Amino acid sequence: MHIRLVCLQYPIRTERIGMKRVIRNTLLLCICMLTAALTACQATPDAPIVVQKDMEQMLEKADRPENGVREAALPDIPQGRYTFSATGLDGRLRIAVNAEITVPETTAMPIVRVKRGGFPQELVTKLFNHFYAGETAYDASSEHVETKAEIEPLIIDAKRRLADGSYAEYGYTEEEYTARLKRIEERYSAAPETAPALPISNGTMHIQELENIGDYLLLNVDNDTASDTARTMNVLTPNSRYSANSGFGTHLYYRVHSRTKKTVEYNAQGILRTDGTNLPEAARKKLTISFNEAKALCDDMFAAAELSDDYKLGHAFLVGDAGTGVYSGDGKELGTPAENYAYRLYYTRMINGIPCFVNTDIGLDDSNNGMTSLPWYYEYISFTVDNSGLTYLSWHNPIEIMDTVTENAALLPFNDIIDVFEAMIRIEYEAFLNKWTEGSGEMDINIDTVELCLVRVRERDSEATGLLVPAWVFYGNNTVMSNDGSTLYDFAHGNASSWNKEPFPILIINAVDGSTIDLGRGY
């Protein structure tokens, strides 16, 4: 966790939806005074001054009510939406906020210690029984056995190439290719007419040793291959403390697709946030499954796992099949309608009825922290549901709850959080834009949701544990236009996309001490 100390040179906005107030600048004034004591005040700082926050000081502040107000008593969170607009870098940076403010229904915001988790056999068995209820599933983790029918086309092709000399196109001599044909014929002689039946699975994982990262438990199952619809489930989870802390990651996949027809692939190109009521006409005509029916399929899985209280829907979006159905964030059609549509639903873990931040990036980890610790991926849960039902589940890197550090943390007033946001959004992204476009590009930032939730940060000097702390997450998107005419989307942690994707945390502010949290660093 770190706080950036700056001398503010920007006018501070004094009016917001639902309230007019005299700004309380206590927090920002302290920041400015401390900065002045440390360094001469610069009119336009090249980069924020960064000071590593002391985790113990933050926890001490969270435990002292005089340092903030309890969540239930926050009087200045406006009803409705928070709006804000600003520019920077002589207009090259443009910020637009029109965001719903979301606060959990709770009387206490805790701080909770967590560690890397996994998928215990009990949970895997429940999910296995849910997905394969009433049918036989087979262990697909054993090595595939080639049959004579599979090898025969290789022999025919090799003989053809020997006859017409085309083997030379691949760098073979005639002698070498003749030897290759002989090896294929030997494989054919040893191969069975039919492959042996796969063993039946009851959902039990078995040990898989992965080089340099320890033992994992593996499950890889499929339904009857005689069925045209393949339904596969794959789990890889640590089997020891060493493998749990290896940084390799943990996953659980479930996928449904045709064995004979081309699989419909959905992507987030031009993604549209939805609750089912704002679908474009093209999608309404194509989708026969309702949003509530799609959500029920996801909820049913957690119910079967007896985790209904532990996981809830975070964000949901409309997606289309590859490269089509392009929509902007407001639902305006930009391209040819997709042939197929689906709902993509992201779930998040709940702690005492309080959500963790919604992670929409499967590869998001804190490996940019500059420390020697191994990366720690953030928990990610994504469902894809189309007219055929649940087609894809991707669940990665669950955490394990260890203990509660603070039951009811004292939080800063919302107005102080907004003051920090309105200063830091410009400072952080001005430096970011200049760095990645060499001082010449432009960026548009749009934010549509502000949420008080829990965000995981690393504990100091620990590779294996972290804290879930109360934080305000500002979800949105950004677009970067370079001076060469190219456009990239959603710059974050050194990565970008060629299309706009799901809204992600543009800025995160610790609700206890007002410091910014960088997910790419883990503090």
Side-chain angles (χ1 to χ4, degrees):
M1 199 171 305
H2 61 282
I3 188 165
R4 293 174 169 86
L5 306 179
V6 299
C7 292
L8 300 180
Q9 301 295 326
Y10 302 105
I12 299 177
R13 189 169 175 271
T14 58
E15 294 186 5
R16 298 189 175 92
I17 283 187
M19 65 176 179
K20 292 186 177 180
R21 63 180 177 82
V22 177
I23 291 182
R24 295 174 297 169
N25 280 331
T26 305
L27 176 63
L28 296 183
L29 181 59
C30 291
I31 292 174
C32 290
M33 291 175 64
L34 182 54
T35 303
L38 294 173
T39 184
C41 187
Q42 302 294 322
T44 307
D46 292 332
I49 300 168
V50 181
V51 176
Q52 177 71 36
K53 288 294 289 182
D54 190 315
M55 188 74 72
E56 292 183 1
Q57 290 183 5
M58 188 274 291
L59 293 176
E60 181 182 354
K61 180 174 288 190
D63 254 344
R64 296 212 308 257
E66 62 270 24
N67 290 322
V69 290
R70 300 299 186 184
E71 189 277 335
L74 287 179
D76 64 342
I77 298 177
Q79 299 296 315
R81 305 181 74 83
Y82 158 56
T83 61
F84 171 73
S85 62
T87 60
L89 297 176
D90 296 324
R92 290 197 293 115
L93 175 65
R94 297 173 290 272
I95 303 161
V97 182
N98 186 354
E100 179 183 2
I101 302 170
T102 303
V103 180
E105 296 180 359
T106 181
T107 58
M109 291 292 291
I111 295 176
V112 179
R113 180 172 286 108
V114 298
K115 64 179 180 180
R116 292 184 180 93
F119 295 103
Q121 181 62 62
E122 181 182 6
L123 170 59
V124 171
T125 298
K126 291 175 182 176
L127 295 179
F128 174 85
N129 291 337
H130 173 68
F131 288 129
Y132 296 96
E135 65 177 298
T136 302
Y138 298 89
D139 183 353
S141 61
S142 56
E143 292 186 7
H144 175 67
V145 178
E146 287 184 306
T147 64
K148 281 183 166 57
E150 291 174 313
I151 300 173
E152 185 176 13
L154 301 179
I155 295 175
I156 295 172
D157 183 67
K159 288 181 177 180
R160 177 184 64 80
R161 293 189 182 280
L162 274 174
D164 63 17
S166 60
Y167 59 82
E169 298 174 5
Y170 296 88
Y172 286 96
T173 65
E174 182 177 1
E175 182 181 1
E176 289 171 337
Y177 208 77
T178 300
R180 179 180 183 273
L181 172 59
K182 182 179 180 181
R183 289 193 296 271
I184 297 174
E185 290 174 332
E186 290 172 351
R187 283 165 53 194
Y188 179 86
S189 298
E193 292 289 344
T194 59
L198 292 174
I200 294 175
S201 175
N202 64 359
T204 300
M205 296 182 286
H206 60 268
I207 292 179
Q208 175 79 23
E209 185 176 354
L210 300 178
E211 188 175 357
N212 298 325
I213 61 174
D215 289 344
Y216 272 70
L217 292 175
L218 172 70
L219 177 70
N220 189 11
V221 297
D222 195 357
N223 61 324
D224 189 343
T225 55
S227 169
D228 178 62
T229 301
R231 299 197 302 107
T232 59
M233 180 177 172
N234 181 273
V235 183
L236 190 67
T237 193
N239 190 43
S240 67
R241 180 179 177 183
Y242 176 74
S243 56
N245 296 329
S246 68
F248 181 75
T250 304
H251 70 248
L252 186 154
Y253 294 108
Y254 175 72
R255 186 171 187 178
V256 180
H257 62 94
S258 172
R259 301 185 198 275
T260 58
K261 299 177 183 178
K262 182 180 178 181
T263 300
V264 177
E265 299 288 352
Y266 298 100
N267 65 33
Q269 185 165 349
I271 200 159
L272 171 66
R273 190 190 291 272
T274 187
D275 60 1
T277 63
N278 62 333
L279 298 180
E281 183 178 1
R284 290 199 302 272
K285 290 180 178 179
K286 296 280 187 178
L287 273 173
T288 59
I289 186 171
S290 71
F291 176 82
N292 288 336
E293 289 170 333
K295 179 178 179 296
L297 290 175
C298 307
D299 291 340
D300 287 347
M301 188 206 77
F302 287 112
E306 300 181 17
L307 294 173
S308 294
D309 293 333
D310 298 318
Y311 290 93
K312 298 292 183 182
L313 175 64
H315 297 161
F317 305 94
L318 174 71
V319 291
D321 51 3
T324 58
V326 183
Y327 289 87
S328 64
D330 60 1
K332 179 182 177 182
E333 185 175 352
L334 300 178
T336 304
E339 288 298 318
N340 300 279
Y341 291 93
Y343 300 102
R344 181 157 297 158
L345 302 98
Y346 290 91
Y347 276 62
T348 189
R349 183 180 291 267
M350 305 291 290
I351 307 293
N352 299 335
I354 303 164
C356 296
F357 93 95
V358 183
N359 180 19
T360 59
D361 183 351
I362 193 172
L364 181 59
D365 65 49
D366 59 6
S367 58
N368 296 325
N369 55 33
M371 299 182 291
T372 58
S373 54
L374 292 166
W376 187 352
Y377 291 85
Y378 294 91
E379 188 166 15
Y380 171 97
I381 308 169
S382 170
F383 296 87
T384 302
V385 182
D386 65 9
N387 291 337
S388 65
L390 175 61
T391 65
Y392 194 56
L393 161 66
S394 182
W395 186 353
H396 293 252
N397 305 298
I399 54 176
E400 181 177 334
I401 308 301
M402 298 177 67
D403 58 83
T404 298
V405 178
T406 301
E407 292 186 355
N408 190 6
L411 309 184
L412 290 170
F414 181 70
N415 290 337
D416 289 354
I417 297 296
I418 290 301
D419 290 341
V420 173
F421 167 79
E422 293 181 1
M424 294 308 301
I425 188 69
R426 279 180 286 207
I427 292 171
E428 291 218 359
Y429 280 89
E430 282 180 356
F432 190 75
L433 180 59
N434 277 334
K435 175 182 178 181
W436 290 103
T437 66
E438 298 180 346
S440 61
E442 300 183 15
M443 176 185 284
D444 285 298
I445 297 174
N446 290 279
I447 293 174
D448 68 358
T449 302
V450 180
E451 181 179 27
L452 178 61
C453 56
L454 298 175
V455 175
R456 191 261 294 163
V457 296
R458 288 238 192 189
E459 284 198 280
R460 184 187 294 274
D461 302 324
S462 173
E463 289 191 0
T465 64
L467 298 176
L468 292 175
V469 301
W472 287 96
V473 179
F474 295 75
Y475 294 97
N477 295 91
N478 61 55
T479 305
V480 177
M481 293 74 67
S482 298
N483 59 359
D484 63 1
S486 61
T487 300
L488 290 174
Y489 300 89
D490 300 335
F491 264 94
H493 316 303
N495 298 314
S497 171
S498 57
W499 60 79
N500 52 311
K501 300 190 299 182
E502 301 92 331
F504 65 94
I506 291 284
L507 197 69
I508 302 177
I509 300 174
N510 189 316
V512 174
D513 63 11
S515 63
T516 59
I517 297 174
D518 184 341
L519 296 178
R521 296 179 181 272
Y523 57 81

